[in-house]
Amino acid sequence: MTTVTVLALVITVVLRLFVAEAFYVPSESMYDTLTKDDRILAEKISYLHRDVDRGDIIVFKDPANWLNEAPAIPGPFRRIGEFVGIMPRSGEGHLVKRVIGLPGDKVICCDRNGLVTVNGIALDEREYLLKGAHPSDMPFNVVVPPGHLWVMGDNRAQSADSRAHMGGPGGGFVPIENVVGRACCVIWPSDRMTMLRPPETFKKPGLKK
């Protein structure tokens, strides 16, 4: 292996570990913001100088066997591709959801208007929810513990998110240490390439940091 090849591999690994990493969207739980098999880029730079924020779409490690499936075992060439970052990782239990609640937040569904509230402030989720979807058909009233997040999918009826795991280990909350990065853009297929930006509703007074 030449010096140039080794250097290229080292640079690639460093970028994957500290800058950004590609992932496939595993389900329709974020439709239609994201759809199954979209390839997204999870960037890690912003979380070096700021905390996870409400409205962020995050990639995170399965916190308590949410996927409930045996991991796929890739072949040796795919393992190499995944390690250096030229292929997205598979079978390692990663999920993609939107952050709704931060540590200390009281998240409730629903208020008298049928909306999710965070610390008493109603969210206008029409910007990102699947058209016609209800904010939640499952009632909940939680306070997010320190070091954790409350996450939900944009396709609420098809998302086994924090709500679906309230009675399981961890109470449905995601440890912040499990966050791999912020999904910043769709990079494939080409006709779906787009930047992913925080919705306006999370900029309301009392919610914006």
Short mmCIF file of all heavy atoms in Angstrom, two decimals, residues 35-93:
data_model
loop_
_atom_site.label_atom_id
_atom_site.label_comp_id
_atom_site.label_asym_id
_atom_site.label_seq_id
_atom_site.Cartn_x
_atom_site.Cartn_y
_atom_site.Cartn_z
N THR A 35 -37.50 9.73 3.30
CA THR A 35 -38.18 8.51 2.94
C THR A 35 -37.21 7.34 2.99
O THR A 35 -35.98 7.53 2.99
CB THR A 35 -38.84 8.62 1.55
OG1 THR A 35 -39.73 7.52 1.34
CG2 THR A 35 -37.79 8.65 0.44
N LYS A 36 -37.75 6.15 3.07
CA LYS A 36 -36.92 4.94 3.22
C LYS A 36 -35.88 4.86 2.11
O LYS A 36 -36.19 5.09 0.94
CB LYS A 36 -37.81 3.69 3.20
CG LYS A 36 -37.08 2.40 3.54
CD LYS A 36 -38.07 1.24 3.63
CE LYS A 36 -37.37 -0.04 4.09
NZ LYS A 36 -36.41 -0.51 3.10
N ASP A 37 -34.66 4.56 2.49
CA ASP A 37 -33.51 4.41 1.61
C ASP A 37 -32.92 5.73 1.11
O ASP A 37 -31.99 5.71 0.30
CB ASP A 37 -33.83 3.50 0.41
CG ASP A 37 -34.06 2.06 0.84
OD1 ASP A 37 -33.50 1.66 1.88
OD2 ASP A 37 -34.81 1.33 0.16
N ASP A 38 -33.45 6.88 1.57
CA ASP A 38 -32.71 8.12 1.35
C ASP A 38 -31.34 7.97 1.98
O ASP A 38 -31.19 7.35 3.05
CB ASP A 38 -33.41 9.30 2.04
CG ASP A 38 -34.53 9.92 1.22
OD1 ASP A 38 -34.69 9.52 0.05
OD2 ASP A 38 -35.24 10.79 1.75
N ARG A 39 -30.34 8.53 1.35
CA ARG A 39 -29.01 8.55 1.95
C ARG A 39 -28.79 9.94 2.50
O ARG A 39 -28.88 10.93 1.77
CB ARG A 39 -27.93 8.19 0.93
CG ARG A 39 -26.58 7.94 1.58
CD ARG A 39 -25.55 7.47 0.59
NE ARG A 39 -24.27 7.18 1.24
CZ ARG A 39 -23.17 6.82 0.60
NH1 ARG A 39 -23.20 6.69 -0.71
NH2 ARG A 39 -22.06 6.57 1.27
N ILE A 40 -28.54 10.03 3.79
CA ILE A 40 -28.38 11.32 4.45
C ILE A 40 -26.96 11.46 5.00
O ILE A 40 -26.26 10.48 5.22
CB ILE A 40 -29.40 11.49 5.60
CG1 ILE A 40 -29.25 10.37 6.64
CG2 ILE A 40 -30.82 11.55 5.06
CD1 ILE A 40 -30.13 10.54 7.85
N LEU A 41 -26.57 12.72 5.20
CA LEU A 41 -25.27 12.99 5.79
C LEU A 41 -25.49 13.51 7.21
O LEU A 41 -26.22 14.47 7.43
CB LEU A 41 -24.52 14.05 4.96
CG LEU A 41 -23.02 14.16 5.21
CD1 LEU A 41 -22.32 12.87 4.79
CD2 LEU A 41 -22.45 15.35 4.44
N ALA A 42 -24.90 12.82 8.17
CA ALA A 42 -24.97 13.23 9.57
C ALA A 42 -23.68 13.97 9.91
O ALA A 42 -22.61 13.36 9.99
CB ALA A 42 -25.15 12.03 10.49
N GLU A 43 -23.79 15.28 10.08
CA GLU A 43 -22.59 16.06 10.37
C GLU A 43 -22.37 16.13 11.88
O GLU A 43 -23.31 16.11 12.67
CB GLU A 43 -22.68 17.46 9.75
CG GLU A 43 -23.83 18.33 10.23
CD GLU A 43 -23.49 19.13 11.46
OE1 GLU A 43 -22.30 19.15 11.84
OE2 GLU A 43 -24.39 19.74 12.04
N LYS A 44 -21.11 16.18 12.28
CA LYS A 44 -20.75 16.12 13.70
C LYS A 44 -20.09 17.40 14.20
O LYS A 44 -19.91 17.59 15.40
CB LYS A 44 -19.80 14.93 13.92
CG LYS A 44 -20.37 13.62 13.37
CD LYS A 44 -19.42 12.46 13.53
CE LYS A 44 -20.00 11.19 12.93
NZ LYS A 44 -19.18 9.99 13.16
N ILE A 45 -19.77 18.30 13.27
CA ILE A 45 -19.04 19.52 13.61
C ILE A 45 -19.84 20.43 14.53
O ILE A 45 -19.32 20.95 15.53
CB ILE A 45 -18.63 20.28 12.34
CG1 ILE A 45 -17.63 19.46 11.52
CG2 ILE A 45 -18.04 21.64 12.69
CD1 ILE A 45 -16.32 19.23 12.20
N SER A 46 -21.13 20.64 14.21
CA SER A 46 -21.90 21.62 14.97
C SER A 46 -22.03 21.25 16.44
O SER A 46 -22.06 22.11 17.32
CB SER A 46 -23.29 21.81 14.36
OG SER A 46 -24.02 20.60 14.38
N TYR A 47 -22.06 19.93 16.74
CA TYR A 47 -22.20 19.51 18.14
C TYR A 47 -20.89 19.60 18.92
O TYR A 47 -20.86 19.31 20.11
CB TYR A 47 -22.78 18.10 18.21
CG TYR A 47 -24.23 18.02 17.78
CD1 TYR A 47 -24.77 16.84 17.30
CD2 TYR A 47 -25.06 19.14 17.85
CE1 TYR A 47 -26.11 16.76 16.90
CE2 TYR A 47 -26.38 19.07 17.46
CZ TYR A 47 -26.91 17.89 16.98
OH TYR A 47 -28.22 17.83 16.59
N LEU A 48 -19.82 20.02 18.24
CA LEU A 48 -18.59 20.28 18.95
C LEU A 48 -18.63 21.62 19.67
O LEU A 48 -17.91 21.85 20.65
CB LEU A 48 -17.39 20.25 17.99
CG LEU A 48 -17.10 18.90 17.31
CD1 LEU A 48 -15.92 19.05 16.34
CD2 LEU A 48 -16.80 17.82 18.34
N HIS A 49 -19.50 22.54 19.15
CA HIS A 49 -19.57 23.87 19.75
C HIS A 49 -20.97 24.26 20.21
O HIS A 49 -21.18 25.36 20.72
CB HIS A 49 -19.03 24.93 18.78
CG HIS A 49 -19.77 24.99 17.47
ND1 HIS A 49 -20.96 25.68 17.33
CD2 HIS A 49 -19.50 24.46 16.26
CE1 HIS A 49 -21.38 25.57 16.08
NE2 HIS A 49 -20.52 24.83 15.41
N ARG A 50 -21.95 23.37 20.04
CA ARG A 50 -23.28 23.64 20.58
C ARG A 50 -23.95 22.33 20.95
O ARG A 50 -23.54 21.25 20.51
CB ARG A 50 -24.15 24.39 19.56
CG ARG A 50 -24.66 23.55 18.37
CD ARG A 50 -25.74 24.31 17.64
NE ARG A 50 -26.25 23.64 16.46
CZ ARG A 50 -27.26 22.76 16.48
NH1 ARG A 50 -27.82 22.42 17.62
NH2 ARG A 50 -27.70 22.22 15.36
N ASP A 51 -24.98 22.43 21.79
CA ASP A 51 -25.72 21.25 22.20
C ASP A 51 -26.76 20.87 21.15
O ASP A 51 -27.10 21.68 20.27
CB ASP A 51 -26.42 21.51 23.53
CG ASP A 51 -25.44 21.71 24.68
OD1 ASP A 51 -24.33 21.15 24.62
OD2 ASP A 51 -25.79 22.45 25.63
N VAL A 52 -27.26 19.65 21.25
CA VAL A 52 -28.40 19.24 20.44
C VAL A 52 -29.55 20.20 20.73
O VAL A 52 -29.76 20.61 21.88
CB VAL A 52 -28.82 17.80 20.78
CG1 VAL A 52 -30.05 17.40 19.99
CG2 VAL A 52 -27.67 16.84 20.52
N ASP A 53 -30.30 20.57 19.71
CA ASP A 53 -31.39 21.53 19.89
C ASP A 53 -32.72 20.93 19.45
O ASP A 53 -32.75 19.96 18.68
CB ASP A 53 -31.11 22.80 19.08
CG ASP A 53 -31.84 24.02 19.64
OD1 ASP A 53 -32.63 23.87 20.60
OD2 ASP A 53 -31.60 25.12 19.12
N ARG A 54 -33.81 21.50 19.95
CA ARG A 54 -35.13 21.08 19.53
C ARG A 54 -35.28 21.32 18.03
O ARG A 54 -34.85 22.35 17.50
CB ARG A 54 -36.22 21.86 20.27
CG ARG A 54 -36.15 21.75 21.79
CD ARG A 54 -37.26 22.58 22.43
NE ARG A 54 -37.03 22.77 23.85
CZ ARG A 54 -36.36 23.78 24.39
NH1 ARG A 54 -35.84 24.71 23.59
NH2 ARG A 54 -36.21 23.87 25.69
N GLY A 55 -35.92 20.38 17.36
CA GLY A 55 -36.12 20.50 15.92
C GLY A 55 -35.04 19.84 15.10
O GLY A 55 -35.25 19.57 13.91
N ASP A 56 -33.88 19.56 15.70
CA ASP A 56 -32.82 18.87 14.96
C ASP A 56 -33.29 17.47 14.58
O ASP A 56 -33.96 16.78 15.35
CB ASP A 56 -31.57 18.72 15.82
CG ASP A 56 -30.80 20.01 16.02
OD1 ASP A 56 -31.17 21.02 15.40
OD2 ASP A 56 -29.82 20.00 16.80
N ILE A 57 -32.92 17.04 13.39
CA ILE A 57 -33.09 15.63 13.00
C ILE A 57 -31.76 14.96 13.32
O ILE A 57 -30.72 15.37 12.80
CB ILE A 57 -33.43 15.49 11.51
CG1 ILE A 57 -34.76 16.17 11.20
CG2 ILE A 57 -33.49 14.01 11.12
CD1 ILE A 57 -35.11 16.19 9.71
N ILE A 58 -31.82 13.96 14.18
CA ILE A 58 -30.57 13.33 14.62
C ILE A 58 -30.50 11.86 14.20
O ILE A 58 -31.52 11.19 14.06
CB ILE A 58 -30.39 13.42 16.15
CG1 ILE A 58 -31.57 12.77 16.89
CG2 ILE A 58 -30.22 14.88 16.57
CD1 ILE A 58 -31.35 12.59 18.39
N VAL A 59 -29.28 11.40 14.01
CA VAL A 59 -29.00 9.97 13.87
C VAL A 59 -28.45 9.52 15.21
O VAL A 59 -27.55 10.16 15.77
CB VAL A 59 -27.96 9.71 12.76
CG1 VAL A 59 -27.59 8.22 12.71
CG2 VAL A 59 -28.50 10.17 11.41
N PHE A 60 -29.00 8.45 15.77
CA PHE A 60 -28.55 7.99 17.08
C PHE A 60 -28.53 6.47 17.15
O PHE A 60 -29.25 5.79 16.42
CB PHE A 60 -29.43 8.57 18.19
CG PHE A 60 -30.90 8.22 18.09
CD1 PHE A 60 -31.44 7.16 18.81
CD2 PHE A 60 -31.74 8.97 17.29
CE1 PHE A 60 -32.79 6.84 18.73
CE2 PHE A 60 -33.10 8.67 17.19
CZ PHE A 60 -33.62 7.60 17.91
N LYS A 61 -27.69 5.98 18.03
CA LYS A 61 -27.59 4.54 18.26
C LYS A 61 -28.83 4.06 19.01
O LYS A 61 -29.29 4.73 19.93
CB LYS A 61 -26.33 4.20 19.06
CG LYS A 61 -25.03 4.59 18.37
CD LYS A 61 -23.84 4.36 19.29
CE LYS A 61 -22.56 4.87 18.66
NZ LYS A 61 -21.41 4.73 19.58
N ASP A 62 -29.33 2.92 18.62
CA ASP A 62 -30.51 2.32 19.25
C ASP A 62 -30.31 2.30 20.78
O ASP A 62 -29.40 1.64 21.27
CB ASP A 62 -30.69 0.90 18.72
CG ASP A 62 -32.02 0.28 19.14
OD1 ASP A 62 -32.61 0.76 20.11
OD2 ASP A 62 -32.44 -0.69 18.49
N PRO A 63 -31.15 3.01 21.54
CA PRO A 63 -30.91 3.13 22.98
C PRO A 63 -31.32 1.93 23.82
O PRO A 63 -30.78 1.70 24.89
CB PRO A 63 -31.75 4.36 23.37
CG PRO A 63 -32.85 4.37 22.36
CD PRO A 63 -32.25 3.86 21.08
N ALA A 64 -32.32 1.16 23.34
CA ALA A 64 -32.82 0.05 24.17
C ALA A 64 -33.51 -0.99 23.32
O ALA A 64 -34.64 -1.39 23.59
CB ALA A 64 -33.76 0.58 25.25
N ASN A 65 -32.81 -1.43 22.26
CA ASN A 65 -33.35 -2.43 21.34
C ASN A 65 -34.68 -2.00 20.72
O ASN A 65 -35.61 -2.79 20.59
CB ASN A 65 -33.52 -3.78 22.05
CG ASN A 65 -33.64 -4.94 21.06
OD1 ASN A 65 -33.09 -4.89 19.96
ND2 ASN A 65 -34.35 -5.97 21.44
N TRP A 66 -34.77 -0.72 20.35
CA TRP A 66 -35.98 -0.22 19.70
C TRP A 66 -36.23 -0.95 18.39
O TRP A 66 -37.37 -1.18 18.01
CB TRP A 66 -35.86 1.27 19.43
CG TRP A 66 -35.99 2.14 20.63
CD1 TRP A 66 -35.92 1.77 21.94
CD2 TRP A 66 -36.22 3.56 20.63
NE1 TRP A 66 -36.08 2.86 22.76
CE2 TRP A 66 -36.27 3.97 22.00
CE3 TRP A 66 -36.38 4.51 19.64
CZ2 TRP A 66 -36.47 5.31 22.36
CZ3 TRP A 66 -36.59 5.84 20.00
CH2 TRP A 66 -36.64 6.22 21.35
N LEU A 67 -35.16 -1.28 17.69
CA LEU A 67 -35.31 -1.94 16.39
C LEU A 67 -35.74 -3.39 16.54
O LEU A 67 -36.36 -3.96 15.64
CB LEU A 67 -34.01 -1.85 15.60
CG LEU A 67 -33.60 -0.45 15.16
CD1 LEU A 67 -32.20 -0.46 14.57
CD2 LEU A 67 -34.60 0.10 14.14
N ASN A 68 -35.33 -4.01 17.64
CA ASN A 68 -35.75 -5.38 17.95
C ASN A 68 -35.49 -6.33 16.80
O ASN A 68 -36.34 -7.11 16.38
CB ASN A 68 -37.24 -5.42 18.31
CG ASN A 68 -37.64 -6.75 18.93
OD1 ASN A 68 -36.82 -7.40 19.57
ND2 ASN A 68 -38.89 -7.14 18.73
N GLU A 69 -34.29 -6.25 16.24
CA GLU A 69 -33.93 -7.14 15.14
C GLU A 69 -32.45 -7.46 15.20
O GLU A 69 -31.65 -6.70 15.72
CB GLU A 69 -34.27 -6.50 13.79
CG GLU A 69 -33.55 -5.20 13.53
CD GLU A 69 -33.97 -4.53 12.24
OE1 GLU A 69 -35.07 -4.79 11.76
OE2 GLU A 69 -33.17 -3.74 11.71
N ALA A 70 -32.10 -8.63 14.71
CA ALA A 70 -30.70 -9.04 14.68
C ALA A 70 -29.96 -8.23 13.63
O ALA A 70 -30.47 -8.00 12.54
CB ALA A 70 -30.60 -10.53 14.36
N PRO A 71 -28.75 -7.73 13.93
CA PRO A 71 -28.00 -6.95 12.97
C PRO A 71 -27.53 -7.79 11.78
O PRO A 71 -27.21 -8.97 11.94
CB PRO A 71 -26.80 -6.44 13.78
CG PRO A 71 -26.64 -7.45 14.87
CD PRO A 71 -28.03 -7.91 15.20
N ALA A 72 -27.54 -7.17 10.62
CA ALA A 72 -27.03 -7.84 9.43
C ALA A 72 -25.52 -7.97 9.54
O ALA A 72 -24.85 -7.13 10.15
CB ALA A 72 -27.41 -7.05 8.18
N ILE A 73 -24.96 -9.01 8.96
CA ILE A 73 -23.51 -9.22 8.99
C ILE A 73 -22.97 -8.98 7.59
O ILE A 73 -23.12 -9.81 6.69
CB ILE A 73 -23.16 -10.64 9.47
CG1 ILE A 73 -23.75 -10.90 10.86
CG2 ILE A 73 -21.65 -10.83 9.48
CD1 ILE A 73 -23.54 -12.30 11.36
N PRO A 74 -22.36 -7.81 7.36
CA PRO A 74 -21.86 -7.51 6.02
C PRO A 74 -20.62 -8.31 5.67
O PRO A 74 -19.92 -8.79 6.56
CB PRO A 74 -21.55 -6.01 6.11
CG PRO A 74 -21.23 -5.79 7.56
CD PRO A 74 -22.11 -6.74 8.32
N GLY A 75 -20.36 -8.44 4.38
CA GLY A 75 -19.17 -9.12 3.92
C GLY A 75 -17.92 -8.29 4.17
O GLY A 75 -18.00 -7.12 4.55
N PRO A 76 -16.75 -8.89 3.95
CA PRO A 76 -15.49 -8.20 4.29
C PRO A 76 -15.27 -6.91 3.51
O PRO A 76 -14.77 -5.93 4.06
CB PRO A 76 -14.42 -9.25 3.97
CG PRO A 76 -15.08 -10.21 3.03
CD PRO A 76 -16.51 -10.25 3.45
N PHE A 77 -15.64 -6.89 2.21
CA PHE A 77 -15.42 -5.68 1.42
C PHE A 77 -16.34 -4.56 1.87
O PHE A 77 -15.94 -3.39 1.92
CB PHE A 77 -15.62 -5.98 -0.07
CG PHE A 77 -14.57 -6.90 -0.63
CD1 PHE A 77 -14.87 -8.22 -0.93
CD2 PHE A 77 -13.27 -6.45 -0.83
CE1 PHE A 77 -13.91 -9.08 -1.42
CE2 PHE A 77 -12.29 -7.30 -1.33
CZ PHE A 77 -12.61 -8.62 -1.62
N ARG A 78 -17.59 -4.92 2.22
CA ARG A 78 -18.50 -3.90 2.72
C ARG A 78 -18.03 -3.36 4.07
O ARG A 78 -18.12 -2.16 4.34
CB ARG A 78 -19.92 -4.43 2.85
CG ARG A 78 -20.90 -3.35 3.29
CD ARG A 78 -22.33 -3.82 3.38
NE ARG A 78 -23.16 -2.72 3.78
CZ ARG A 78 -23.73 -1.85 2.97
NH1 ARG A 78 -23.56 -1.98 1.67
NH2 ARG A 78 -24.47 -0.84 3.42
N ARG A 79 -17.47 -4.26 4.91
CA ARG A 79 -16.96 -3.81 6.21
C ARG A 79 -15.87 -2.75 6.02
O ARG A 79 -15.82 -1.75 6.73
CB ARG A 79 -16.38 -5.00 6.99
CG ARG A 79 -17.44 -5.89 7.63
CD ARG A 79 -16.76 -6.95 8.47
NE ARG A 79 -17.70 -7.87 9.05
CZ ARG A 79 -18.37 -7.64 10.17
NH1 ARG A 79 -18.21 -6.51 10.81
NH2 ARG A 79 -19.21 -8.54 10.65
N ILE A 80 -14.98 -3.00 5.06
CA ILE A 80 -13.91 -2.04 4.79
C ILE A 80 -14.49 -0.71 4.31
O ILE A 80 -14.10 0.36 4.77
CB ILE A 80 -12.92 -2.60 3.75
CG1 ILE A 80 -12.19 -3.82 4.33
CG2 ILE A 80 -11.92 -1.53 3.33
CD1 ILE A 80 -11.35 -4.57 3.32
N GLY A 81 -15.46 -0.80 3.39
CA GLY A 81 -16.11 0.41 2.87
C GLY A 81 -16.81 1.20 3.95
O GLY A 81 -16.76 2.43 3.98
N GLU A 82 -17.48 0.49 4.88
CA GLU A 82 -18.17 1.16 5.97
C GLU A 82 -17.17 1.80 6.93
O GLU A 82 -17.39 2.92 7.41
CB GLU A 82 -19.04 0.16 6.72
CG GLU A 82 -20.25 -0.32 5.91
CD GLU A 82 -21.04 -1.38 6.64
OE1 GLU A 82 -20.63 -1.73 7.78
OE2 GLU A 82 -22.06 -1.84 6.10
N PHE A 83 -16.05 1.11 7.18
CA PHE A 83 -15.07 1.63 8.13
C PHE A 83 -14.44 2.92 7.65
O PHE A 83 -14.28 3.89 8.40
CB PHE A 83 -13.99 0.59 8.40
CG PHE A 83 -12.92 1.08 9.35
CD1 PHE A 83 -13.19 1.20 10.70
CD2 PHE A 83 -11.66 1.43 8.88
CE1 PHE A 83 -12.21 1.66 11.58
CE2 PHE A 83 -10.69 1.90 9.74
CZ PHE A 83 -10.96 2.01 11.10
N VAL A 84 -14.09 2.97 6.37
CA VAL A 84 -13.43 4.18 5.85
C VAL A 84 -14.43 5.24 5.45
O VAL A 84 -14.05 6.37 5.14
CB VAL A 84 -12.51 3.84 4.65
CG1 VAL A 84 -11.43 2.87 5.05
CG2 VAL A 84 -13.31 3.30 3.47
N GLY A 85 -15.73 4.90 5.45
CA GLY A 85 -16.74 5.91 5.22
C GLY A 85 -17.21 6.06 3.79
O GLY A 85 -17.97 6.98 3.48
N ILE A 86 -16.80 5.16 2.89
CA ILE A 86 -17.27 5.29 1.51
C ILE A 86 -18.60 4.56 1.31
O ILE A 86 -19.24 4.71 0.28
CB ILE A 86 -16.23 4.76 0.50
CG1 ILE A 86 -15.94 3.27 0.76
CG2 ILE A 86 -14.96 5.58 0.56
CD1 ILE A 86 -15.03 2.65 -0.29
N MET A 87 -19.01 3.78 2.31
CA MET A 87 -20.32 3.14 2.30
C MET A 87 -20.99 3.38 3.64
O MET A 87 -20.32 3.44 4.68
CB MET A 87 -20.21 1.62 2.05
CG MET A 87 -19.63 1.25 0.72
SD MET A 87 -19.65 -0.54 0.45
CE MET A 87 -21.41 -0.78 0.14
N PRO A 88 -22.34 3.59 3.64
CA PRO A 88 -23.03 3.81 4.90
C PRO A 88 -23.03 2.55 5.74
O PRO A 88 -23.07 1.44 5.22
CB PRO A 88 -24.45 4.19 4.46
CG PRO A 88 -24.61 3.51 3.15
CD PRO A 88 -23.26 3.57 2.49
N ARG A 89 -22.99 2.71 7.06
CA ARG A 89 -23.01 1.56 7.95
C ARG A 89 -24.37 0.89 7.96
O ARG A 89 -25.40 1.52 7.84
CB ARG A 89 -22.63 2.00 9.37
CG ARG A 89 -21.16 2.28 9.52
CD ARG A 89 -20.79 2.44 10.97
NE ARG A 89 -21.22 3.73 11.48
CZ ARG A 89 -21.08 4.11 12.75
NH1 ARG A 89 -20.55 3.28 13.62
NH2 ARG A 89 -21.46 5.28 13.15
N SER A 90 -24.36 -0.41 8.13
CA SER A 90 -25.60 -1.18 8.18
C SER A 90 -25.55 -2.13 9.37
O SER A 90 -24.48 -2.53 9.81
CB SER A 90 -25.79 -1.99 6.88
OG SER A 90 -24.73 -2.92 6.72
N GLY A 91 -26.72 -2.49 9.86
CA GLY A 91 -26.80 -3.50 10.89
C GLY A 91 -26.21 -3.10 12.23
O GLY A 91 -25.86 -3.94 13.04
N GLU A 92 -26.06 -1.80 12.50
CA GLU A 92 -25.49 -1.37 13.76
C GLU A 92 -26.53 -0.69 14.63
O GLU A 92 -26.19 -0.08 15.64
CB GLU A 92 -24.29 -0.44 13.52
CG GLU A 92 -23.10 -1.17 12.92
CD GLU A 92 -21.86 -0.31 12.92
OE1 GLU A 92 -21.87 0.77 13.53
OE2 GLU A 92 -20.88 -0.73 12.31
N GLY A 93 -27.80 -0.75 14.25
CA GLY A 93 -28.84 -0.23 15.10
C GLY A 93 -28.87 1.28 15.22
O GLY A 93 -28.82 1.82 16.32
#
